[in-house]
Amino acid sequence: MREHDRLFIGGNWAAPAGTGVIEVVSPHTEEVIGRVPEGTEADVDAAVAAARRAFDHGPWPRMTPAERAAVLGRLSAIYAERQQEMADLVTAEMGSPILFSIFGQAALPQMVLQYYADLAASYPWEEERPGMLGPVTVTREPVGVVAAVYPWNVPQFTLMLKLAPALLAGCTVVAKPSPETPLDAYLLAEWVREAGVPDGVINFVPAGREVGAYLVAHRDVDKVAFTGSTAAGRQIGEVCGRQLKPVTLELGGKSAAIILEDADLATTIEGFKMASLMNNGEACAAQTRILAPRSRYDEVADALTAMVAGLNVGDPADYGTEIGPLVARRQQERVENYIRVGQDEGAKLLTGGLTRPHDRGWYVAPTVFGDVSNDMRIAREEIFGPVLALIPYDGEDDAVRIANDSDYGLGGSVWTADVDHGVEVARRIRTGSCGVNLYVLDPNTPFGGYKDSGLGRELGPEGLTAYLEHKAIPRPHPAS
Ligand code: NAD
């Protein structure tokens, strides 16, 4: 049991303004495993004031990138040493299978932190350009106080996509963890103190969406970075639009995996364990539309059904588990409702369905629907659970058309024996990323969405640029 009665604000453990408490419930046992204060608007005011002071008067934005990178490097070293603790904690909070958690909930966030620490040395912070009337210095300055609002599914990863580049840029941050997963932020806050990050540079206010909305609209916040649902992203985008505040939005997805005629089926289907079902299917970039050539449709249906039916569903802390419980009863009911929708729409249930694999815990049977047409709701709407839609296609152009026939544009993949040809197909998919024979998010390359999947990019040098203002300083040619 982890009990916290303070908030990490201004580098200290501050007493919360309110008396509300967030209870963190294990999705496996349905028992309370932790309590933290529920942040209020007054706590947001205090956190933003601390971040504002640290930005306007503190050392952080005035340090050189190399000096900030050294602090990030210290934090990264602590993270690397204690990442198992982080993986165990996120698994306990939200049910991520421990083997995925070790990678996606702990190692990957640490790699992102280290990536940005290393990027400081090669990033073009300042350059001289020839101008019309003389030389121009083009410099990049931190955008200011950042509000980072992030979801429960990969809390450390989605936070680190914002925190690491914001800090390297010289920004200060108020982060709002989701009420489902506030505990991992407390562990990170301990490490932030150990690493010697100056007071007020990072602040955490765990709270629900109303307090999140208050933070986003706060006049002393200069930039918003949000990961979450498309519905919330639209609201946040509207607020930032009115205030002309820069905003990065990483939103939902309904990505397609295209199996080409020549794909090796055994490795392809095995690859879907990660690409389509990672993190119990609670992944924005999960490829939940499986596009199969009609000529191989039966073969694909059989292999996919066998793989999904054979998945080990159980205690997420168990190293043999492939699918754990969903984050909350609400999410279990949402996913089950989509299974009902699929049946009502006439899709063919190939495996899974509404029988719960365990009586206790928020489990859903991993499910495959066959004979899905791309206009069904189960092919258009984000389900956010282990439910796959198998869609037949006729020819490669048809596959590309179906993949692109989506309101979303986040991820995707192409599976083929001819990698060069796979790359050509990937170029035709209107999404922010599309893998060939794998799907992976690389710290060094941009990640983000086309269409309703978002605005802007995280990761890579692009992810750092999002936290910088560009300033030009022109001057006359020196007198000769
Ligand atoms: P959500 O939008 O309900 O909440 C996300 C976060 O935003 C939470 O911290 C929540 O408290 C806060 N929030 C909600 N409405 C807000 C508002 N109007 N103003 C300010 N804050 C607000 O999403 P969720 O259910 O927690 O997470 C699942 C969603 O996140 C899925 O749609 C998934 O695709 C998306 N997601 C996207 C990515 C990506 O990188 N594109 C990554 C992970 C998750």
Side-chain angles (χ1 to χ4, degrees):
M1 185 71 159
R2 288 183 184 245
E3 302 258 12
H4 300 278
D5 59 2
R6 303 267 153 164
L7 297 172
F8 188 67
I9 293 177
N12 294 306
W13 293 107
T19 55
V21 170
I22 296 172
E23 289 197 329
V24 182
V25 181
S26 158
H28 174 60
T29 64
E30 303 184 27
E31 282 164 11
V32 176
I33 57 163
R35 288 191 186 89
V36 306
E38 183 176 19
T40 60
E41 293 184 1
D43 296 316
V44 167
D45 287 339
V48 172
R52 191 78 259 166
R53 268 195 310 279
F55 187 79
D56 292 342
H57 308 293
W60 192 251
R62 287 151 201 96
M63 287 161 67
T64 64
E67 288 168 336
R68 287 193 294 268
V71 179
L72 293 193
R74 285 206 297 276
L75 182 58
S76 168
I78 297 169
Y79 208 126
E81 204 166 291
R82 295 181 60 185
Q83 52 184 293
Q84 180 71 41
E85 205 179 324
M86 186 62 87
D88 290 338
L89 184 56
V90 177
T91 285
E93 283 179 302
M94 56 69 64
S96 189
I98 187 66
L99 274 186
F100 176 82
S101 213
I102 287 169
F103 172 67
Q105 312 282 14
L108 198 52
Q110 187 272 332
M111 283 161 61
V112 171
L113 189 53
Q114 188 61 50
Y115 167 76
Y116 281 107
D118 293 342
L119 184 64
S122 62
Y123 189 78
W125 296 99
E126 190 161 300
E127 59 191 283
E128 291 297 310
R129 294 189 199 167
M132 277 190 305
L133 303 177
V136 184
T137 299
V138 177
T139 190
R140 292 160 178 83
E141 299 183 338
V143 71
V145 173
V146 172
V149 178
Y150 59 101
W152 45 263
N153 64 327
V154 269
Q156 283 289 301
F157 179 61
T158 49
L159 170 63
M160 204 56 84
L161 295 178
K162 300 158 184 52
L163 193 62
L167 293 185
L168 179 61
C171 296
T172 60
V173 178
V174 177
K176 191 201 79 61
S178 288
E180 293 83 358
T181 52
L183 299 176
D184 54 279
Y186 278 83
L187 186 55
L188 183 63
E190 274 176 34
W191 300 348
V192 162
R193 273 165 72 102
E194 272 177 53
V197 177
D199 292 352
V201 170
I202 303 175
N203 310 272
F204 288 106
V205 183
R209 56 188 53 196
E210 289 78 16
V211 172
Y214 181 77
L215 169 63
V216 162
H218 204 291
R219 284 283 166 187
D220 279 336
V221 165
D222 299 307
K223 173 184 165 99
V224 175
F226 172 75
T227 298
S229 60
T230 294
R234 279 188 212 287
Q235 291 171 5
I236 290 168
E238 277 177 28
V239 171
C240 293
R242 270 200 300 280
Q243 296 183 350
L244 293 180
K245 200 183 257 184
V247 61
T248 307
L249 301 172
E250 298 284 4
L251 309 176
K254 190 75 190 180
S255 300
I258 303 177
I259 304 174
L260 295 183
E261 293 273 358
D262 63 354
D264 175 69
L265 216 47
T267 53
T268 299
I269 299 293
E270 186 63 23
F272 291 165
K273 284 187 178 173
M274 184 65 181
S276 306
L277 294 161
M278 61 179 142
N279 206 29
N280 309 330
E282 294 168 314
C284 52
Q287 280 129 63
T288 50
R289 289 185 297 151
I290 310 291
L291 275 47
R294 203 174 293 277
S295 59
R296 297 186 72 187
Y297 178 82
D298 291 343
E299 197 191 341
V300 172
D302 289 348
L304 186 63
T305 302
M307 182 275 279
V308 173
L311 289 169
N312 199 350
V313 183
D315 184 349
D318 191 331
Y319 277 73
T321 292
E322 293 169 293
I323 300 284
L326 300 184
V327 67
R329 183 176 305 286
R330 178 191 80 241
Q331 189 70 11
Q332 181 190 40
E333 288 168 356
R334 172 193 159 93
V335 173
E336 287 177 344
N337 187 50
Y338 272 108
I339 294 174
R340 264 179 229 110
V341 167
Q343 288 176 313
D344 292 348
E345 288 179 309
K348 186 173 170 190
L349 187 65
L350 297 179
T351 185
L354 291 168
T355 308
R356 292 179 177 170
H358 298 285
D359 295 338
R360 193 188 61 169
W362 298 313
Y363 290 91
V364 170
T367 295
V368 179
F369 280 107
D371 296 337
V372 176
S373 94
N374 200 48
D375 55 6
M376 291 180 181
R377 281 182 63 198
I378 56 166
R380 302 208 75 80
E381 297 174 18
E382 184 177 52
I383 296 175
F384 228 56
V387 179
L388 305 182
L390 179 58
I391 305 174
Y393 71 81
D394 298 293
E396 211 168 274
D397 288 347
D398 193 37
V400 170
R401 180 190 64 75
I402 294 170
N404 286 334
D405 177 18
S406 174
D407 293 337
Y408 294 110
L410 192 59
S413 56
V414 181
W415 301 80
T416 173
D418 180 347
V419 173
D420 290 343
H421 182 63
V423 171
E424 289 312 310
V425 176
R427 287 183 198 280
R428 298 174 65 192
I429 308 303
R430 302 273 301 159
T431 62
S433 57
C434 186
V436 177
N437 293 343
L438 52 72
Y439 187 74
V440 68
L441 301 185
D442 201 302
N444 191 29
T445 57
F447 173 66
Y450 288 23
K451 301 190 269 184
D452 289 357
S453 291
L455 277 184
R457 292 293 178 269
E458 296 189 316
L459 290 178
E462 295 82 359
L464 175 57
T465 304
Y467 293 90
L468 293 164
E469 292 281 13
H470 292 65
K471 177 188 280 181
I473 308 177
R475 53 198 181 279
H477 286 297
S480 51

